[in-house]
Amino acid sequence: MDIAVRLDDPNSPEARALLQAAHELMQSLFPEQPPRALSLAPLAAPESRVFIARMNLHAVGCCAMILHRDFAEIKRLYVAPEARRLGIAARLLQAVERAARQEGYNLLKLESGARLTNAHRLYARSGFTACGQFGAHAPSAASLFMEKHLRAAAPPPRSSSG
């Protein structure tokens, strides 16, 4: 099984299909939230990055990152039902974390639905901890806010001459 995660265009047909599936899942899980149409505009902005996971060349997962002034925010982590429990979500998170570091960020944040306990376990295993509301997110009992402080990549070892 070949799994690859790469930066992608949010307007590509594969990305659009995955982002639409993620949107529909959230609408079904949180019917008390006002219904809204999926907007890809924020994910196509210059400060956004969208990653697509492919398994044997088939797009099976996505995750977006939006770069803010002081932190990077994870958005729309989604894995298609047929590809769950294969470590794809963890690989997407690792790719986002690597990209955040490369962009010079030391802090990742996310907002998750309070009932998404499997996602919360994944985030906790990945080093995320609970935090307060941030950015434009309104405080809500239906939301859980988490963050992860990133360590800078270790510098390459110095060579010693004899």
Side-chain angles (χ1 to χ4, degrees):
M1 171 173 49
D2 181 34
I3 299 172
V5 177
R6 292 196 180 85
L7 194 59
D8 208 320
D9 176 358
N11 290 304
S12 74
E14 292 173 317
R16 289 177 74 87
L18 287 165
L19 292 165
Q20 182 65 42
H23 180 74
E24 289 171 6
L25 177 63
M26 291 304 105
Q27 296 272 322
S28 72
L29 292 174
F30 298 97
E32 68 278 3
Q33 298 294 324
R36 53 193 164 141
L38 173 66
S39 172
L40 293 178
L43 301 180
E47 65 275 5
S48 298
R49 312 287 181 266
V50 174
F51 298 84
I52 299 295
R54 287 179 175 78
M55 184 170 63
N56 301 325
L57 303 178
H58 177 68
V60 294
C62 63
C63 188
M65 174 176 69
I66 297 179
L67 306 175
H68 297 279
R69 196 178 94 188
D70 298 325
F71 63 91
E73 182 179 3
I74 293 173
K75 303 286 274 184
R76 309 277 196 286
L77 177 59
Y78 174 79
V79 176
E82 70 274 11
R84 293 184 184 154
R85 303 216 180 274
L86 299 174
I88 291 168
R91 286 188 189 208
L92 283 160
L93 277 179
Q94 291 165 359
V96 167
E97 190 173 316
R98 255 189 322 275
R101 279 195 191 101
Q102 289 170 351
E103 298 264 4
Y105 287 84
N106 297 317
L107 181 61
L108 278 174
K109 292 189 176 212
L110 62 88
E111 180 267 337
S112 177
R115 293 190 297 251
L116 301 175
T117 56
N118 288 339
H120 304 159
R121 283 193 292 274
L122 168 69
Y123 297 137
R125 280 193 312 271
S126 298
F128 284 82
T129 57
C131 69
Q133 168 273 332
F134 62 88
H137 295 286
S140 168
S143 294
L144 176 69
F145 300 98
M146 301 182 86
E147 67 183 11
K148 180 178 181 176
H149 293 271
L150 305 176
R151 290 189 285 260
R158 292 184 179 186
S159 63
S160 58
S161 52

